[in-house]
Amino acid sequence: MPDQELASFNIGAACTDAHRHTSRAGETAMIVEDDSGAVQQATYAELAASSSRFAHVLAALDITAAARILIRLPNSLDYPTVFLGALKAGMIAVPTSPQLTADELAFLAKDAGASVFVTDAGSWSHLAAPLPVIPALRHVLLTGAAAAVVAAGDNGRVQAHALAGLMAEQPDSFRAPATRPDDPAYLVYTSGTSGYPKGVLPAHRALLGHAPACRARFDFQGQDRILHSGPFN
């Protein structure tokens, strides 16, 4: 169906829930190798469930609809869970490089008006200093084995939480809000090589626009595997 005929469309729900109740639910949706060489994988059903739990986490926080969710994570299953879960919740995901310095990240957080920052616990200690001065920032969600310990020791204005603990309390299905195709979906920044990074804000219709070209040019089939080499952002 042409996207102009759709009253609502949500990238997060479309990318995670489409196969959840089909015969493909148990098939592998994603395989990720992290910097250490460890391999993680998730089925379509598992990706739908984890992204739904993250959407519930965001819905439970004291943030407004369409809030900006800043993401700085190493390659892992946490990245697609957080990115797609944020979109599924009707928020605006702001994916960034795990190589950003604290000052570079603080600039993006302020420019984007981020309300929530998601990062790994191992990086939080050297990123924390400039972020509490970001006016809109309210919550930091930490991933990794040390997240609970790091979050417990943080008592600043910005609340730090261990993400795994929050997600464990949430149901594994989420009804996405009726975002319109023209509603903003995610905010990406240029590299900033010729000046300060500049944000670009694609709408949910971006996926609808790309899909016909992918079908016509590549003719992907159900069992095809697509290799992505590089940071998820």
Side-chain angles (χ1 to χ4, degrees):
M1 178 183 293
D3 60 352
Q4 62 266 27
E5 297 180 11
L6 292 175
S8 64
F9 182 75
N10 184 284
I11 290 178
C15 288
T16 61
D17 293 339
H19 295 304
R20 181 166 192 173
H21 300 295
T22 73
S23 60
R24 299 193 60 192
E27 294 180 11
T28 300
M30 185 172 292
I31 302 172
V32 181
E33 181 176 325
D34 64 23
D35 293 340
S36 70
V39 176
Q40 301 172 297
Q41 61 183 19
T43 65
Y44 289 105
E46 288 168 341
L47 185 59
S50 63
S51 59
S52 290
R53 291 190 185 100
F54 183 73
H56 278 292
V57 168
L58 293 180
L61 298 178
D62 57 335
I63 56 176
T64 60
R68 311 295 173 88
I69 313 301
L70 187 68
I71 307 167
R72 183 194 184 276
L73 288 169
N75 280 13
S76 67
L77 285 177
D78 290 330
Y79 213 125
T81 292
V82 168
F83 179 84
L84 295 170
L87 271 60
K88 186 183 281 192
M91 308 298 176
I92 298 174
V94 187
T96 69
S97 169
Q99 298 178 340
L100 288 181
T101 67
D103 289 340
E104 290 169 335
L105 194 71
F107 171 82
L108 296 188
K110 184 175 182 180
D111 188 74
S115 299
V116 177
F117 175 45
V118 187
T119 192
D120 59 297
S123 298
W124 178 232
S125 61
H126 69 267
L127 297 174
L131 287 179
V133 301
I134 307 302
L137 192 63
R138 292 291 177 267
H139 299 277
V140 174
L141 305 179
L142 301 175
T143 67
V149 175
V150 175
D154 188 274
N155 295 307
R157 179 186 67 82
V158 177
Q159 299 180 56
H161 314 267
L163 180 56
L166 296 181
M167 290 179 61
E169 301 170 354
Q170 303 299 333
D172 63 3
S173 62
F174 184 87
R175 185 180 180 86
T179 50
R180 297 170 300 177
D182 283 332
D183 287 342
Y186 54 95
L187 176 61
V188 291
Y189 278 86
T190 61
S191 62
T193 53
S194 59
Y196 288 110
K198 298 175 178 62
V200 180
L201 191 61
H204 285 273
R205 71 166 60 248
L207 180 62
L208 297 168
H210 285 304
C214 287
R215 286 193 295 268
R217 178 176 289 273
F218 301 110
D219 189 28
F220 290 129
Q221 301 300 311
Q223 299 304 316
D224 289 344
R225 295 192 174 192
I226 303 169
L227 175 67
H228 170 79
S229 178
F232 274 143
N233 70 293

